[in-house]
Amino acid sequence: AAMLKSFGIRGFSEVLCSSNFQLCFSHATQISGLGPVKPNCILVHYPDNCLDNTPDGFRARSNLVCSIQSAVVCDKSALVALGASWPSAEDRLETTIDIWWFAASFAGDGGMLLLIPQVLRWHPVWSRCKVRVFVVNDTNDVADTT
């Protein structure tokens, strides 16, 4: 609660203790929210050392994959932020927001995935960003048109 207060955030906090990141993340994903007010997406940071061929790089990849798997198992969307750090309120980004929609994996039409970048662009930090949408679909799922 003190950390939230130091950042000026009003909300509830929950502390989980674990010696294993993957178990802790999975538990946090499952218990997050209050009653019917549960988040439908999880935001994780793409690790800087994710592609390193080192034990730390392997651990970073493993933790990232575990985070995405936990989101999918708990029926939540996984949002992966790629970049050195989260921008401050004074920053003005002129970059691209990429949306990777795995159409065969998720129920629905992907409306939430398309809504998030639009809402982000309302904020001055993201207002100059362009949005790209990549749709990934299994070729076996394509309807036969013959």
Side-chain angles (χ1 to χ4, degrees):
M3 182 184 224
L4 293 175
K5 194 172 193 176
S6 71
F7 285 102
I9 299 172
R10 295 174 54 185
F12 301 99
S13 63
E14 184 74 35
V15 177
L16 292 173
C17 297
S18 176
S19 60
N20 181 320
F21 170 84
Q22 295 173 350
L23 279 176
C24 192
F25 190 90
S26 176
H27 292 149
T29 303
Q30 294 174 52
I31 68 165
S32 63
L34 182 63
V37 185
K38 292 189 174 277
N40 58 1
C41 59
I42 294 175
L43 175 66
V44 294
H45 184 265
Y46 187 86
D48 295 331
N49 62 343
C50 197
L51 298 179
D52 293 353
N53 194 16
T54 63
D56 285 342
F58 175 79
R59 190 170 20 264
R61 286 189 300 278
S62 179
N63 288 342
L64 178 64
V65 168
C66 171
S67 302
I68 293 170
Q69 287 174 334
S70 292
V72 170
V73 166
C74 292
D75 200 26
K76 300 178 187 299
S77 295
L79 309 174
V80 182
L82 177 63
S85 64
W86 195 257
S88 70
E90 294 79 30
D91 291 337
R92 299 296 180 261
L93 300 177
E94 294 187 30
T95 186
T96 304
I97 301 171
D98 289 338
I99 302 298
W100 289 82
W101 176 29
F102 294 86
S105 302
F106 298 107
D109 60 1
M112 180 59 76
L113 288 175
L114 299 176
L115 178 64
I116 290 170
Q118 294 306 102
V119 171
L120 276 175
R121 292 182 65 220
W122 291 344
H123 193 280
V125 170
W126 305 91
S127 63
R128 298 179 187 155
C129 293
K130 295 179 181 177
V131 177
R132 291 189 301 187
V133 178
F134 299 94
V135 178
V136 180
N137 196 6
D138 186 356
T139 56
N140 294 330
D141 290 340
V142 177
D144 186 7
T145 57
T146 58

